[in-house]
């Protein structure tokens, strides 16, 4: 028998086009993928990839085998997911962006527990959507341009604490204030300024954070002006903890979307959570 880990590493690297991408999907290091593939090649007595400074390229042998292995691992992933779902039918696993988990999903969980106390929701924060055919998540909640259930479009606009509003009368005033940013959405300021008439040249400078929730917290503390994503700052705008000093909003191509890799049984825990999130917008 060929080693399963080696076959998984080969299939992921071939499908995704490289060892680094395969490592990210499998949750291991690129070195581990390299080692697994090398061991598999040694057992086969044949090369599966041609290595070069620019990366790896499948050999004809690998290209001919890829489709069958992809189909096989997809079916295995679906079988594992079905098994875990049947074993714990009241547990729903959701994968989502860290900012969505903290600022959109978490505030809605108390109402979900009140509606269905028998359902347990498990949340995993990820920077990119996972491969639902392989990983044991029931639902994905991310910003995307298409697919799944549309929970609302995404709009961006500056927000700040009420204490800063008197210092902001025109977009040019932003150049005199710290303008907070997020490393994931580093282009937000440029996108908003480009769409607003009489905006100052250049992009305002200020601290950038690797967690959008931390940037929101700093905006609440009065540390500066932040580009708010409508769904993620709505709760703070509603309470007055944050305000929008300008009326202009820029609608982005992607929206908040929820999707699953498999059909949902009516009235199952996953179906009930899905319907709740649709109405909790």
């Amino acid at each position: 028998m060929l080693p399963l880990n080696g076959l998984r590493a080969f299939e992921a690297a071939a499908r995704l086009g490289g060892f680094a991408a395969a490592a990210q999907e499998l949750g291991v290091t690129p070195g581990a993928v390299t080692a697994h593939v090398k061991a598999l090649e040694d057992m086969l007595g044949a090369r599966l990839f041609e290595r070069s400074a620019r990366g790896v390229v499948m050999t004809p042998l690998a290209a001919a085998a890829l489709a069958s292995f992809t189909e096989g691992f997809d079916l295995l992933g679906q079988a594992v997911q079905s098994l875990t779902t049947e074993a714990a039918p009241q547990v729903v696993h959701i994968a989502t962006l860290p900012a969505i988990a903290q600022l959109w999903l978490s505030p809605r969980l108390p109402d979900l527990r009140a509606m269905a106390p028998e359902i347990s929701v498990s949340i995993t924060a990820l920077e990119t959507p996972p491969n639902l055919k392989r990983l044991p998540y029931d639902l994905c909640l991310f910003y995307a341009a298409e697919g799944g259930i549309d929970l609302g479009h995404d709009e961006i606009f500056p927000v700040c604490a009420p204490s800063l509003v008197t210092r902001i009368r025109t977009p040019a005033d932003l150049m005199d204030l710290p303008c907070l940013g997020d490393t994931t959405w580093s282009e937000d300021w440029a996108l908003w300024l480009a769409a607003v008439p009489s905006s100052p040249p250049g992009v305002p400078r200020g601290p950038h954070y690797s967690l959008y929730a931390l940037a929101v917290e700093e905006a609440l503390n009065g540390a500066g002006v932040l580009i708010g994503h409508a769904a993620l700052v709505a709760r703070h705008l509603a309470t007055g903890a944050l305000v929008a000093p300008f009326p202009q909003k820029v609608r982005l191509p992607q929206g908040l979307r929820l999707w699953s890799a498999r059909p949902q049984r009516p009235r199952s825990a996953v179906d009930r959570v899905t319907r709740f999130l649709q109405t909790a917008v």
Side-chain angles (χ1 to χ4, degrees), residues 80-185:
V80 169
Q81 181 60 38
S82 296
L83 182 63
T84 56
T85 299
E86 292 299 325
Q90 298 302 320
V91 178
V92 177
H93 300 273
I94 303 176
T96 188
L97 199 67
I100 297 174
Q102 293 173 278
L103 299 171
W104 192 91
L105 186 55
S106 179
R108 288 163 170 76
L109 292 182
D111 288 340
L112 175 59
R113 285 193 293 270
M115 180 200 76
E118 72 281 6
I119 296 177
S120 176
V121 175
S122 172
I123 300 171
T124 300
L126 300 172
E127 291 296 339
T128 56
N131 183 348
L132 289 182
K133 293 181 179 179
R134 305 294 178 84
L135 298 175
Y137 300 112
D138 299 297
L139 296 170
C140 269
L141 182 60
F142 283 84
Y143 284 111
E146 58 185 6
I149 299 169
D150 187 0
L151 299 183
H153 59 264
D154 190 18
E155 290 181 326
I156 56 173
F157 48 90
V159 296
C160 64
S163 59
L164 293 181
V165 171
T166 57
R167 299 171 58 184
I168 308 172
R169 299 189 181 278
T170 70
D173 294 331
L174 294 170
M175 305 303 289
D176 299 323
L177 289 167
C179 290
L180 313 181
D182 174 82
T183 54
T184 301
W185 295 313

Side-chain angles (χ1 to χ4, degrees), residues 136-264:
Y137 300 112
D138 299 297
L139 296 170
C140 269
L141 182 60
F142 283 84
Y143 284 111
E146 58 185 6
I149 299 169
D150 187 0
L151 299 183
H153 59 264
D154 190 18
E155 290 181 326
I156 56 173
F157 48 90
V159 296
C160 64
S163 59
L164 293 181
V165 171
T166 57
R167 299 171 58 184
I168 308 172
R169 299 189 181 278
T170 70
D173 294 331
L174 294 170
M175 305 303 289
D176 299 323
L177 289 167
C179 290
L180 313 181
D182 174 82
T183 54
T184 301
W185 295 313
S186 59
E187 300 299 319
D188 281 357
W189 273 112
L191 289 172
W192 186 81
L193 289 168
V196 175
S198 68
S199 292
V203 177
R205 299 187 175 218
H208 278 67
Y209 304 90
S210 61
L211 292 175
Y212 187 75
L214 180 57
V216 171
E217 193 65 29
E218 281 294 86
L220 290 167
N221 294 336
V225 186
L226 171 71
I227 284 287
H229 286 253
L232 304 184
V233 299
R235 183 165 53 104
H236 296 305
L237 290 172
T239 64
L242 290 176
V243 294
F246 304 109
Q248 295 92 341
K249 298 180 180 180
V250 174
R251 182 167 176 170
L252 300 182
Q254 67 269 23
L256 190 59
R257 293 181 177 271
L258 180 73
W259 65 90
S260 173
R262 60 197 60 83
Q264 300 173 13

